[in-house]
Amino acid sequence: MFLIRRGLALSLPGFLLILLLGAVPLTVILVWSFWTWDPATYWIKPNLSLDAYAAIGDAGRWSVIVGSFGKAFLAALLCLLVGYPSALAIHFVASPRWSFVLMAAFTIPFFTSYLIRAFSWRLVLGRTGMVNNFLMQIGLIDEPLDWLLFSDFAVMVGLIASYLPFVIFPLLLSLRKVEPNFLAASQDLGAGFLRTLFTIIIPLTKPGIFAGFLFVFIMAAGSSTEVQMLGGAGAPMISIMINDVMRVVNFPLAFAISAVVIVALFTIVLAGNRVFGLTKMFEDFK
Amino acid sequence: MANSIGIDQVSRRFGEVVAVDNLQLEIKAGEFFTLLGSSGSGKSTLLKMIAGFDQPTNGCILFDGADVTRMPANRRPCNTVFQDLALFPHMSVAQNVGYGLRVRRLAKSVQIEKVRDALQLVDLDGYQDRDIMALSGGQRQRVALARSLVMEPGILLLDEPLTGLDERLRQQMRDEFGRLHKKTAATFVLVTHNQDEAMSLSDRMAIMHHGRLVQVGTPDEILHRPTNEFVARFVGLESIVVPDRVEKRGAGLEVIINGRRTEIPGFHGEVLPEKIAIRSDRMTLEAGEHGIPATLVEQHFRGRYYECTLAMRDDTRLTAEISVDAMPEGMDTGKTTSLGLQAGALVPVMT
């Protein structure tokens, strides 16, 4: 009883912080999204209406939301495809020293500003960038490739480069559940590598796969820098759209968009937890 | 069905460390063979090489005379019961046991039948749909056994499979191994550091030390004719004395220990042993003077017997197990007593 009471007391500051930093802004967003904005006066009226939500349907805003989610989905999927083998290598193949080096290699780029990182891709992918130079030098192409930069391709490269570590760390965490002897036992019973991968390793790391996917998906859905720096014309993301709406002080619409996005993300998290058992990943910390 | 195993001049080095040192060994088809050694003796490395999880630096592994050194583990006709069992936690009992059958792409109905037979063999029929996590330690052990046996392997490798269990379960599972060996007729290779396990199960056994085989033989041979002091101590012969004199006498040996003349019958070797081990369960403490004089240094009550540490005149220490009834009246630490030897008490130790 004493211990429980002390535990409660200890966790109280945490609860208060979460309430203050998380719940309060969320409530404000939710409440304001039901207010109305007068385009003639830029004035916000504190009443209860669905005007802001109705406005999401105008000016192709829906397609921006869906498109952003689509890009985020693709980015998360590609991050998993690249990150999973890397995580396997770090966990099973590399010596402790090498796995440290590899993890550092994934993390160190984060010491620079994400603006710089996104910008550096321009130097790599541009018309006179490294990739085009190289391809022209070896004679594979005569003209520089235009679609490398200011395109969805460039955005995807930028997103994957930015968020890859967020998929690798949850994967590494969940790979600790896969004892090396599970692989030996699977092989002992006649299975080759692919069979072991699909029947043992992937099922046991499902929570990590989903967590990694979720991290990247959420961050990519909310990203703006990569799209602004690397994307072509007419490929806005949710955050850019919200920014534009905020510029004309249409807070109710901005908050309505946010509310829709938050609800959508929550739905994905809860559904995913049902299917993939996200909470299982943290079981061994109890 | 059962395969023989040949270990031909096998070495395994990890950098500077020599885990297995130029080993030569023949394990017969259908035999229950035990590799006995302390941790770091190389016994697990040898087992891994037989299973195919590790490759020798030098030498060959042969199954039925055919070289399998470069054959990957999933193609070898042997299966392993791992020390930590390595049961797949996301699968039910039946899915675990049937894993290898699914890999072999057997028909569903055949799989179900074979899984049931294997579970019957280990007394777990009816547990098919249980969650692995919901089983007790002994039940998991049986599932791991069934998962290997369902493959009908020519060789079953057991890597210290009893370490995690409590004493009662150990004994149960030990008997189970013996029973399954008779029933399956496969070659069993057990790795253990427990001499009781090795003695009670093996047809033959090898004692490993620093990557080499110190002695290979039947448990009886090793218990009664240990080649050296290391083996003797490893199989529980802790009291080792250097006799005053050893002589060949007829079909036996005449030994003089601390002035007391005694005989070891049935010794046929030409070379005389340098040391003599005294079995702790064949010593008696007596009043009077006709035994070996010794001082009781320590005594610990062990339930059915006293474990007594005795010092001989030259201060050699002996350990004797004296049953509670046989403890002389008024015996206490510091007192001098006369040590009697029952039949079979003395074991010649060559070096």
Side-chain angles (χ1 to χ4, degrees):
Chain A
M1 232 5 247
F2 172 74
L3 268 178
I4 293 171
R5 228 179 288 154
R6 170 159 297 187
L8 273 179
L10 278 173
S11 57
L12 201 61
F15 275 129
L16 285 177
L17 260 179
I18 290 170
L19 208 67
L20 209 69
L21 297 178
V24 170
L26 270 182
T27 317
V28 170
I29 285 173
L30 210 62
V31 170
W32 280 44
S33 69
F34 290 106
W35 293 1
T36 43
W37 175 73
D38 183 0
T41 57
Y42 291 160
W43 199 252
I44 296 163
K45 268 182 284 180
N47 53 359
L48 198 67
S49 86
L50 290 171
D51 289 356
Y53 286 91
I56 297 177
D58 303 336
R61 291 195 181 101
W62 266 120
S63 66
V64 174
I65 294 177
V66 173
S68 299
F69 277 3
K71 274 199 198 88
F73 188 87
L74 189 62
L77 215 61
L78 291 172
C79 274
L80 272 180
L81 282 179
V82 178
Y84 204 83
S86 316
L88 285 183
I90 292 173
H91 186 75
F92 288 117
V93 185
S95 62
R97 189 196 183 87
W98 264 108
S99 56
F100 179 79
V101 170
L102 284 172
M103 281 200 281
F106 282 117
T107 321
I108 285 173
F110 278 72
F111 294 178
T112 63
S113 139
Y114 57 101
L115 210 69
I116 302 288
R117 261 183 295 129
F119 183 76
S120 66
W121 279 110
R122 283 192 183 182
L123 306 178
V124 176
L125 298 174
R127 279 182 67 88
T128 54
M130 279 166 58
V131 175
N132 271 325
N133 271 347
F134 175 73
L135 288 178
M136 291 210 293
Q137 224 151 51
I138 63 169
L140 213 67
I141 52 169
D142 303 322
E143 292 276 296
L145 296 173
D146 276 328
W147 52 266
L148 280 182
L149 190 60
F150 305 126
S151 61
D152 284 348
F153 171 80
V155 170
M156 211 40 78
V157 170
L159 288 177
I160 292 169
S162 293
Y163 302 124
L164 192 57
F166 294 99
V167 79
I168 286 178
F169 286 108
L171 282 177
L172 284 175
L173 194 64
S174 70
L175 274 171
R176 293 187 321 164
K177 293 234 163 197
V178 186
E179 308 274 344
N181 261 354
F182 290 168
L183 308 190
S186 175
Q187 199 192 3
D188 189 69
L189 294 163
F193 172 73
L194 280 183
R195 175 135 207 148
T196 306
L197 179 67
F198 284 109
T199 53
I200 308 292
I201 305 177
I202 289 181
L204 282 173
T205 51
K206 261 193 322 195
I209 293 173
F210 182 62
F213 176 87
L214 211 58
F215 281 155
V216 177
F217 180 76
I218 290 174
M219 280 187 293
S223 67
S224 62
T225 316
E226 288 81 7
V227 179
Q228 278 173 328
M229 301 285 286
L230 304 168
M237 291 289 272
I238 296 168
S239 52
I240 299 171
M241 178 171 72
I242 291 177
N243 218 355
D244 291 344
V245 174
M246 297 272 268
R247 225 171 262 158
V248 292
V249 213
N250 192 347
F251 289 147
L253 177 55
F255 289 166
I257 296 170
S258 304
V260 167
V261 171
I262 288 168
V263 169
L265 289 179
F266 259 111
T267 314
I268 292 170
V269 172
L270 292 178
N273 193 31
R274 257 282 165 79
V275 181
F276 297 102
L278 198 58
T279 38
K280 267 192 201 147
M281 190 164 69
F282 303 100
E283 263 170 2
D284 53 345
F285 289 113
K286 274 179 203 161
Chain B
M1 187 61 234
N3 303 92
S4 70
I5 305 166
I7 311 291
D8 189 17
Q9 297 188 327
V10 165
S11 294
R12 178 68 173 107
R13 280 183 284 277
F14 297 97
E16 292 289 290
V17 184
V18 182
V20 172
D21 192 1
N22 199 20
L23 222 93
Q24 191 75 31
L25 179 66
E26 186 70 35
I27 299 174
K28 296 178 199 129
E31 160 171 74
F32 199 125
F33 193 91
T34 301
L35 291 165
L36 179 65
S38 47
S39 61
S41 61
K43 57 190 195 303
S44 289
T45 307
L46 182 59
L47 196 79
K48 280 202 185 97
M49 290 192 287
I50 297 174
F53 299 128
D54 197 3
Q55 265 70 48
T57 320
N58 292 111
C60 297
I61 311 260
L62 310 154
F63 286 177
D64 288 337
D67 191 341
V68 296
T69 316
R70 302 283 153 214
M71 190 187 275
N74 49 350
R75 303 255 178 79
R76 296 194 187 193
C78 63
N79 288 103
T80 308
V81 177
F82 293 87
Q83 182 171 1
D84 59 2
L85 304 183
L87 294 172
F88 307 129
H90 58 302
M91 295 183 188
S92 69
V93 169
Q95 283 171 328
N96 263 283
V97 176
Y99 186 81
L101 303 176
R102 282 203 299 288
V103 174
R104 280 186 188 168
R105 297 175 201 280
L106 296 187
K108 262 260 138 50
S109 56
V110 180
Q111 285 185 27
I112 292 170
E113 201 177 308
K114 283 191 181 245
V115 166
R116 197 190 48 231
D117 289 350
L119 285 176
Q120 241 160 23
L121 200 63
V122 296
D123 257 346
L124 277 182
D125 192 18
Y127 282 70
Q128 273 87 336
D129 296 326
R130 294 285 183 98
D131 197 3
I132 290 296
M133 294 303 171
L135 299 181
S136 71
Q139 288 168 336
R140 285 183 201 183
Q141 183 77 246
R142 286 161 199 271
V143 174
L145 265 169
R147 187 176 68 173
S148 292
L149 289 174
V150 81
M151 306 296 285
E152 294 166 30
I155 298 163
L156 185 72
L157 305 173
L158 303 155
D159 185 9
E160 307 220 28
L162 298 175
T163 8
L165 302 178
D166 64 49
E167 192 51 38
R168 200 177 54 83
L169 265 175
R170 282 175 90 92
Q171 305 223 350
Q172 250 177 40
M173 288 310 298
R174 191 193 297 174
D175 296 344
E176 190 93 9
F177 287 161
R179 189 175 65 80
L180 290 173
H181 177 240
K182 284 199 186 73
K183 209 155 184 174
T184 57
T187 310
F188 275 42
V189 182
L190 170 72
V191 157
T192 183
H193 59 261
N194 183 314
Q195 45 122 347
D196 291 333
E197 262 167 54
M199 291 287 169
S200 58
L201 284 170
S202 320
D203 295 322
R204 285 194 313 144
M205 55 193 277
I207 293 177
M208 276 190 85
H209 189 49
H210 291 323
R212 291 165 182 270
L213 298 179
V214 188
Q215 188 174 1
V216 182
T218 65
D220 199 57
E221 279 165 10
I222 286 175
L223 200 56
H224 294 110
R225 294 290 180 266
T227 48
N228 62 23
E229 192 175 331
F230 175 81
V231 174
R233 286 190 189 281
F234 210 95
V235 297
L237 297 168
E238 288 159 67
S239 311
I240 291 173
V241 299
V242 179
D244 304 338
R245 198 149 56 90
V246 181
E247 261 174 35
K248 191 103 179 136
R249 173 95 12 131
L253 290 175
E254 187 185 76
V255 184
I256 298 173
I257 299 168
N258 266 28
R260 186 183 187 263
R261 186 181 304 271
T262 177
E263 292 205 346
I264 303 176
F267 186 88
H268 305 291
E270 285 301 314
V271 188
L272 295 176
E274 287 173 20
K275 293 166 191 161
I276 301 291
I278 308 176
R279 287 178 56 171
S280 56
D281 57 338
R282 299 285 165 90
M283 291 188 233
T284 55
L285 299 185
E286 322 165 332
E289 307 252 303
H290 50 275
I292 301 167
T295 310
L296 184 63
V297 182
E298 255 180 71
Q299 60 171 344
H300 298 285
F301 186 54
R302 295 281 186 242
R304 257 169 272 160
Y305 62 90
Y306 287 97
E307 188 182 296
C308 303
T309 307
L310 302 156
M312 298 204 314
R313 266 199 313 230
D314 60 0
D315 209 36
T316 306
R317 298 291 163 118
L318 307 175
T319 306
E321 288 168 16
I322 307 296
S323 76
V324 174
D325 314 327
M327 199 68 176
E329 201 78 32
M331 197 63 220
D332 209 347
T333 47
K335 289 200 175 169
T336 301
T337 176
S338 167
L339 180 68
L341 301 173
Q342 294 173 324
L346 299 186
V347 177
V349 178
M350 297 315 291
T351 56

